[in-house]
Amino acid sequence: MLIGICVAILQMLTLTQLQFIKGSVLDAAMQKNMSLLPQVLLKLCAAMVIMSVLEYVFSIINCIFIEKCAYRLRELFFEAFLKRSYKEYFTVPEGELIAKYSKELSIIENNCFAIVGVAVQRLLQIICITAALFYLNIPLALFSLVILSIPLFVPRIFQKKLSKSSENKIINIETNIGIVSGILSSFEVIKNFGIAKNIIERFKKSNKTLMAAENRYEKAYAVSAGVSFAVSLGSQACIMIITGVNVYYGYLKTGDFITIAGLVASLKVPLFWISGMFQKIIATKPIRKSIFHFIEIEEHDRKYLLTAHD
């Protein structure tokens, strides 16, 4: 993971430099300096190529990290399953076990392990972009940080609703899979006794309940994400208005407007991502609690899952 951090640092430094180069392009064009313009454009192209290469390398490293964590978690799941006694085995419904392995482990992989590498990337992005904004204009940088941080508090407002809807969804998934598993293992009995109609009605009822639970979860998540996005757009608009006023009164150059616009857009991305990440963490809390309780992960195993080496 150390290699990934180093790559992410280079990536974010290049991204920051890219925004300054964009401002230089506009300044060169405004000054009609045709001798300087080709050099600036060449730097712009070089920065974009470097960014693409670094993004590719980081993605590969991040994928390896996710695979190692998911591999270890599945190992722990089966080790915990085989350690169970006969009594403990029969107290856990088969549908719940299948749901945990087929659904809940994948959710943890996609919504927990997958965000670790990206979180490092986004944190470094915030640090580099913030430093660049302070270099250009300290008051504007402070204002940008404050106003762009507002969307981070939106998920807290919907925390209870997200957690409850997520927990309800998982319960219904386990129930539905349990019914399907029972039907598949009792196919011969169903045919011999001619009870297919009753079984179908039972499945339809469970499927309908599951769909309703999923809809409630998706609606709760969509409302939280929508509010965060609207607040983020409004924050960015306010910053650009303030920047425009500074350019008008001569406190900033015309090229600085483009640079700051790019920096603010680059800063908005990780902050908005963090807001979405909080929503996912809140929504998947019941799932994590259920899986970790089942496999009874020891402290050193928890540490391994979060610090797996590439």
Side-chain angles (χ1 to χ4, degrees):
M1 197 61 189
L2 182 60
I3 298 174
I5 293 173
C6 293
V7 172
I9 291 173
L10 291 174
Q11 188 182 14
M12 293 309 119
L13 289 174
T14 306
L15 175 64
T16 305
Q17 184 61 32
L18 183 63
Q19 307 309 325
F20 282 94
I21 295 173
K22 288 179 181 178
S24 299
V25 171
L26 181 59
D27 283 335
M30 293 290 291
Q31 296 169 12
K32 298 183 180 180
N33 190 339
M34 297 307 295
S35 61
L36 180 61
L37 191 57
Q39 299 176 23
V40 177
L41 289 174
L42 184 61
K43 289 180 181 179
L44 182 64
C45 293
M48 293 173 68
V49 170
I50 293 172
M51 274 290 298
S52 300
V53 172
L54 290 173
E55 178 62 29
Y56 171 76
V57 174
F58 184 82
S59 297
I60 295 296
I61 294 172
N62 194 40
C63 286
I64 294 172
F65 172 80
I66 295 168
E67 288 170 3
K68 282 182 175 280
C69 289
Y71 176 82
R72 180 56 178 160
L73 183 61
R74 293 180 192 280
E75 275 190 344
L76 290 171
F77 180 87
F78 272 100
E79 287 173 7
F81 173 72
L82 293 175
K83 288 178 182 177
R84 292 260 188 304
S85 63
Y86 278 108
K87 182 179 180 181
E88 289 174 321
Y89 170 75
F90 286 110
T91 57
V92 181
E94 184 179 351
E96 182 179 336
L97 289 173
I98 297 173
K100 286 184 185 301
Y101 184 79
S102 64
K103 189 78 175 178
E104 295 179 29
L105 289 180
S106 295
I107 291 175
I108 291 177
E109 178 182 345
N110 295 327
N111 295 290
C112 296
F113 298 151
I115 67 176
V116 173
V118 184
V120 172
Q121 192 181 42
R122 297 307 186 209
L123 178 61
L124 290 170
Q125 185 174 349
I126 291 172
I127 293 171
C128 291
I129 297 299
T130 301
L133 283 172
F134 273 99
Y135 171 77
L136 286 169
N137 191 297
I138 294 176
L140 184 61
L142 290 171
F143 177 76
S144 299
L145 281 175
V146 171
I147 198 167
L148 286 174
S149 298
I150 295 175
L152 297 178
F153 300 98
V154 173
R156 300 291 299 178
I157 301 173
F158 299 93
Q159 178 176 356
K160 187 176 181 180
K161 191 172 183 180
L162 278 171
S163 294
K164 186 177 180 180
S165 60
S166 176
E167 187 173 2
N168 187 44
K169 175 184 173 181
I170 292 302
I171 291 172
N172 281 281
I173 287 175
E174 291 175 352
T175 302
N176 185 259
I177 292 178
I179 290 173
V180 172
S181 177
I183 292 172
L184 294 177
S185 61
S186 308
F187 183 79
E188 187 177 353
V189 175
I190 293 170
K191 284 295 184 180
N192 289 336
F193 286 89
I195 56 175
K197 185 176 180 181
N198 292 335
I199 295 297
I200 289 173
E201 289 300 320
R202 184 186 175 196
F203 171 77
K204 284 183 177 180
K205 183 178 179 181
S206 172
N207 199 33
K208 187 176 180 180
T209 303
L210 173 59
M211 185 178 67
E214 288 180 338
N215 285 338
R216 284 193 294 270
Y217 169 77
E218 294 298 335
K219 286 178 181 178
Y221 188 87
V223 170
S224 180
V227 172
S228 295
F229 185 69
V231 173
S232 179
L233 287 179
S235 301
Q236 188 177 7
C238 290
I239 294 169
M240 297 322 300
I241 291 172
I242 298 298
T243 305
V245 172
N246 277 272
V247 172
Y248 178 80
Y249 284 105
Y251 298 118
L252 292 170
K253 295 185 294 184
T254 306
D256 289 339
F257 182 87
I258 298 299
T259 300
I260 291 174
L263 290 172
V264 168
S266 298
L267 184 60
K268 185 193 76 171
V269 170
L271 290 175
F272 185 70
W273 179 86
I274 290 173
S275 176
M277 180 190 68
F278 282 157
Q279 294 173 38
K280 288 183 179 180
I281 290 174
I282 291 169
T284 57
K285 182 179 179 181
I287 300 171
R288 296 195 310 274
K289 185 177 179 181
S290 172
I291 289 293
F292 290 147
H293 176 72
F294 177 80
I295 63 180
E296 297 177 343
I297 294 181
E298 299 295 336
E299 187 61 32
H300 69 277
D301 290 321
R302 289 177 187 264
K303 186 177 180 181
Y304 177 88
L305 287 171
L306 296 176
T307 59
H309 297 288
D310 45 37

